Amino acid sequence: MNEQQFPFAAVTGQQNLKLALMLAAVNPAIGGVLVSGPRGCAKSTLARGLVGILPHRETDDATAPFVTLPLGASEEMLLGSLDLQQVLSDKQVSFRPGLLSKAHQGVLYVDEVNLLNDHLVDQLLDVAASGVNRIERDGISHQHAASFLLLGTMNPDEGALRPQLQDRFGLAVNLSNQYPVAERVEIVRHREAFDADPEGFCQQYSETQAGLLAQIVTARQILTKVTCSDELRIAIAEACNAAGVDGLRGDIVWFRAAVAHAALQGRDAVTREDIDAVAELVLAHRRKDDAGQNSNPPSPEQNSDQQPPNPPRNNGFKRPDDSQRQSSEPSSQQDRQDQSGKDQQGDWGSMAPQAYAADQTVDVALPAQLEQAVPLKGKALAAPAASRQGNAAAHSGAARGNTQTNRPDWFATLGKSLGEWPPQLVFKRQPEGRSQLHCLLLDTSASTLAEGVFARAKGAMVEIARRAYLERQQLAIFGFGNNRVENLLPQIRAPKELQRWLDNLSAGGGTPMRQVFSHVAGYLQQTQRQFPALEIHTYVLTDGRSQAQLNDISLPGKTFWLDTEQASVKRGRGEALAQQLHAEYIAL
């Protein structure tokens, strides 16, 4: 007996999401729907309810399937794989369908799509756009129809989706879980009625559901007959240009969505109303903020031979010539202590009002401990020196070699054990070298401008980034100053050239020491959850001028504390803070 689903038509509000789902139901070639919103905004309810208004499958007249892709899904589970039982019993290589085949003419639902492995999302979107799943692996050459409505939901608090993947979703909807009082009362009333009598509640909406189903069926029938004038095509192109949309995918999706909207309204020609109705669904995740600056950060797949885009000259801070300078109010008791009236010789509080400047990067040789953390090609990976808290042994560098995984290599197994029973399993091996993320935390507070501290810190970053580039490893950079934390460079493959980019960074204001570690701890934990095999190295470049306490904060992976203070008698608390953070302390 099938579980009764909350009716699509009974969901209160969320009109944009309902429209996006119906458009994708009319024409799956739109490319799927990405739904972003916090918990409790009906993402899953509408996703599951959509099946109730989809036409039956053409092949067997069965109810449209609703297939959920779990986060731990493997490539074989998604695409399909070698049917081992068929090979062993009949000695024939045959294909075992995966979830894409099961979702044909139905819905493929991916909850928390931002946490799904990137290469699986790539494959999902390829098939969703083409309607065909092609498999060339393990001795199999196979293809089958896979036309489905791809629905991905995500909570933005749990991490962002790569911009390239975001763009490839046809439509996007940003939801809120804040509702007017009357709407909240209506939602609770509907939920109570459904829980008390699911069958009776669904019966109340049967006519409305049937009407939506008929509307989708009719729209599919006339979809290919809907025309669009050149004038409206030009309007779409001009709107995409004005919004700074990269490439032509936005234009194509907008056209298809406008045609689907016209078909839903029973029209055989696209009107201006159709274009306007779908505009925000198409542009929400593609629009650039201003002046050619993309609202989405660079992706991990950007060309690493190119310099990363220049940051704002003032790095988001107020400059001396700003007419409306904002005071730097401390956001916690620790930060009030950070700015509590140090003297005028370059300490962190007193410099905040006047120091907003950029130091030019200077060359810095990495200490031996860091050379072990970021080895160049061809060098053996030595174990790092013991940390002052004794945690180095648990994080002793990147594991290299062809470590065996727990995933069977079926094709190799059959080749090795042909004619034998039971077969001797051969397992897949890890690729040579494990992927690493080097996360750099740069102190951009005013105190770092004294004695060339800021310039030396940037010099160390250049060398770390250079080595990461040679190893084709990933890089992320956070800045903390002026009582704020900023993701200056999102997680990308380390670029070839970083110095000119760093030269544009400026420093000023107070040191939000505790905030940066709280923020980065959550970011890294989320990253590790998404990529369990990723090895994380964090580098903190700071003069330690802070009274914050970090005892209760833990960063995943290995942490290096690079004390950038140059004074012979150190006024900062770098060594003490490193001990609290269980980091390896290094005087730069």
Side-chain angles (χ1 to χ4, degrees):
M1 181 177 179
N2 292 331
E3 180 184 357
Q4 196 77 258
Q5 296 294 338
F6 195 90
F8 185 90
V11 176
T12 303
Q14 307 298 14
Q15 297 305 317
N16 281 344
L17 177 53
K18 289 180 180 178
L19 174 60
L21 294 176
M22 291 190 67
L23 293 173
V26 171
N27 185 8
I30 285 174
V33 180
L34 176 64
V35 188
S36 177
R39 294 180 295 275
C41 54
K43 299 191 298 289
S44 300
T45 302
L46 277 170
R48 292 179 169 84
L50 180 63
V51 174
I53 60 172
L54 289 182
H56 284 195
R57 291 196 304 195
E58 298 172 0
T59 52
D60 53 9
D61 199 35
T63 303
F66 182 88
V67 177
T68 300
L69 179 66
L71 282 181
S74 64
E75 191 172 342
E76 293 86 352
M77 183 187 298
L78 176 68
L79 302 177
S81 63
L82 187 69
D83 190 330
L84 182 60
Q85 184 175 358
Q86 185 75 15
V87 174
L88 293 175
S89 59
D90 300 338
K91 296 184 178 180
Q92 292 182 352
V93 176
S94 62
F95 175 72
R96 183 177 63 189
L99 294 178
L100 293 181
S101 176
K102 296 178 181 178
H104 183 50
Q105 295 182 348
V107 176
L108 182 61
Y109 176 57
V110 188
D111 194 14
E112 298 184 296
V113 66
N114 52 322
L115 304 183
L116 190 66
N117 194 295
D118 283 348
H119 85 276
L120 289 184
V121 181
D122 270 326
Q123 291 167 332
L124 266 179
L125 293 166
D126 282 339
V127 177
S130 67
V132 178
N133 181 28
R134 297 178 177 85
I135 305 98
E136 299 285 345
R137 52 176 300 164
D138 295 342
I140 298 173
S141 180
H142 180 83
Q143 69 177 42
H144 64 80
S147 177
F148 52 84
L149 192 162
L150 175 62
L151 177 57
T153 61
M154 58 177 279
N155 183 345
D157 293 337
E158 295 181 342
L161 186 67
R162 270 179 40 209
Q164 270 77 0
L165 298 180
Q166 211 172 37
D167 173 65
R168 293 184 61 192
F169 276 93
L171 307 176
V173 183
N174 296 318
L175 300 181
S176 169
N177 59 358
Q178 299 300 314
Y179 305 93
V181 172
E183 197 168 297
R184 297 177 81 99
V185 172
E186 188 71 11
I187 292 171
V188 173
R189 182 181 289 118
H190 281 187
R191 189 74 234 184
E192 289 176 342
F194 176 77
D195 291 342
D197 182 12
E199 188 173 345
F201 183 83
C202 292
Q203 186 62 35
Q204 296 178 32
Y205 289 89
S206 58
E207 288 189 15
T208 308
Q209 293 275 104
L212 293 175
L213 170 60
Q215 189 178 4
I216 290 174
V217 170
T218 302
R220 286 184 175 183
Q221 292 171 347
I222 68 173
L223 184 67
T224 58
K225 302 174 184 177
V226 177
T227 61
C228 182
S229 67
D230 288 344
E231 179 184 357
L232 292 179
R233 290 175 184 268
I234 292 173
I236 290 175
E238 289 176 341
C240 285
N241 269 340
V245 175
D246 287 326
L248 294 173
R249 184 175 288 119
D251 303 61
I252 294 170
V253 169
W254 199 336
F255 170 76
R256 290 175 178 173
V259 169
H261 188 270
L264 275 173
Q265 306 306 313
R267 293 193 286 267
D268 59 3
V270 174
T271 66
R272 186 74 201 199
E273 177 189 344
D274 300 313
I275 291 178
D276 293 342
V278 303
E280 189 57 28
L281 301 177
V282 176
L283 296 178
H285 55 314
R286 296 185 173 93
R287 182 187 291 112
K288 291 184 180 179
D289 287 339
D290 59 351
Q293 294 296 321
N294 197 336
S295 59
N296 293 322
S299 79
E301 290 187 347
Q302 87 170 43
N303 187 341
S304 59
D305 288 338
Q306 296 179 354
Q307 181 180 345
N310 285 332
R313 189 66 183 172
N314 68 338
N315 192 26
F317 304 146
K318 293 287 181 181
R319 294 177 295 206
D321 57 349
D322 286 336
S323 58
Q324 297 180 345
R325 184 181 308 284
Q326 297 177 353
S327 62
S328 300
E329 292 293 335
S331 56
S332 69
Q333 183 176 357
Q334 284 80 9
D335 288 315
R336 292 188 188 98
Q337 295 171 349
D338 288 353
Q339 302 180 66
S340 58
K342 303 297 175 181
D343 62 30
Q344 299 296 321
Q345 302 302 316
D347 218 327
W348 58 98
S350 59
M351 294 187 66
Q354 60 264 35
Y356 297 88
D359 269 359
Q360 294 300 302
T361 306
V362 299
D363 292 336
V364 172
L366 291 185
Q369 298 98 313
L370 288 184
E371 289 198 1
Q372 294 166 350
V374 200
L376 289 174
K377 288 183 180 292
K379 288 189 177 181
L381 182 66
S387 75
R388 295 183 179 270
Q389 290 296 322
N391 74 327
H395 307 284
S396 56
R400 295 186 177 268
N402 48 3
T403 308
Q404 183 172 278
T405 70
N406 60 356
R407 296 173 58 199
D409 187 332
W410 298 119
F411 192 68
T413 295
L414 293 173
K416 184 175 181 179
S417 306
L418 194 61
E420 298 180 8
W421 185 262
Q424 182 180 351
L425 285 177
V426 177
F427 293 91
K428 294 183 178 180
R429 296 184 177 277
Q430 292 278 12
E432 188 70 20
R434 286 169 59 183
S435 180
Q436 287 187 355
L437 167 63
H438 299 278
C439 184
L440 304 176
L441 312 184
L442 176 64
D443 186 346
T444 58
S445 64
S447 65
T448 62
L449 291 172
E451 302 178 18
V453 168
F454 195 46
R456 289 178 58 81
K458 292 194 287 187
M461 293 175 65
V462 167
E463 182 60 19
I464 293 171
R466 183 182 73 85
R467 290 167 176 261
Y469 165 75
L470 292 175
E471 287 292 308
R472 292 297 186 263
Q473 294 167 349
Q474 297 178 51
L475 189 71
I477 300 177
F478 290 84
F480 58 104
N482 204 35
N483 297 311
R484 62 189 293 180
V485 179
E486 288 191 288
N487 188 347
L488 301 177
L489 187 70
Q491 182 180 345
I492 62 171
R493 198 166 72 179
K496 183 178 182 179
E497 218 303 309
L498 196 67
Q499 181 166 332
R500 284 178 294 169
W501 183 86
L502 284 171
D503 283 342
N504 285 327
L505 291 178
S506 57
T511 311
M513 187 70 73
R514 183 171 176 82
Q515 289 94 317
V516 69
F517 288 108
S518 297
H519 177 83
V520 171
Y523 167 82
L524 293 179
Q525 288 162 6
Q526 185 63 44
T527 300
Q528 196 167 63
R529 180 182 172 191
Q530 187 174 2
F531 306 104
L534 185 67
E535 182 169 327
I536 298 172
H537 285 175
T538 303
Y539 310 83
V540 186
L541 298 102
T542 178
D543 57 8
R545 302 281 184 93
S546 173
Q547 298 300 319
Q549 299 297 320
L550 308 177
N551 303 75
D552 58 334
I553 296 178
S554 177
L555 299 181
K558 174 67 178 175
T559 303
F560 297 90
W561 187 285
L562 279 65
D563 191 345
T564 58
E565 190 174 16
Q566 299 301 302
S568 55
V569 178
K570 294 187 181 298
R571 303 165 63 199
R573 299 176 56 243
E575 191 164 359
L577 291 170
Q579 291 178 358
Q580 293 178 15
L581 201 63
H582 303 289
E584 180 171 347
Y585 176 82
I586 302 170
L588 188 63

